[in-house]
Amino acid sequence: MYFRHRFPSEIISHCVWLYYTFPLSYRDIEKMMLYRGIEVTSATIREWCQKFGQQYANQLRRKNVQSLLIVAFG
């Protein structure tokens, strides 16, 4: 999914997760990554969120539906 990107998939998915889970701006996430020693621009994070955000949302929906089914019929 993250083939041909400069950063490892763990960093990309963590940035996308931060953006869609918490009320953070791209620059907030950029600062958080910089505190951890990872230099990534807010424009790059924006591109990742636009590119991978829908896939991330689909995975969340799938997990929520599965957990609801387990609770209802489990």
Side-chain angles (χ1 to χ4, degrees), residues 6-70:
R6 177 179 169 215
F7 291 92
S9 61
E10 293 84 12
I11 293 173
I12 296 172
S13 61
H14 186 67
C15 289
V16 173
W17 176 79
L18 283 171
Y19 182 75
Y20 285 106
T21 304
F22 302 104
L24 299 170
S25 68
Y26 300 125
R27 292 196 181 193
D28 291 337
I29 298 170
E30 177 185 9
K31 288 178 187 176
M32 291 173 72
M33 293 294 112
L34 190 58
Y35 291 143
R36 295 178 178 167
I38 302 165
E39 292 186 33
V40 60
T41 65
S42 57
T44 302
I45 296 169
R46 180 182 53 81
E47 290 173 10
W48 291 341
C49 290
Q50 289 176 347
K51 186 172 184 177
F52 303 115
Q54 187 61 49
Q55 295 170 351
Y56 178 73
N58 291 341
Q59 289 175 354
L60 283 178
R61 282 192 205 111
R62 246 182 259 125
K63 287 180 183 179
N64 286 339
V65 168
Q66 289 173 355
S67 64
L68 288 174
L69 290 174
I70 289 171

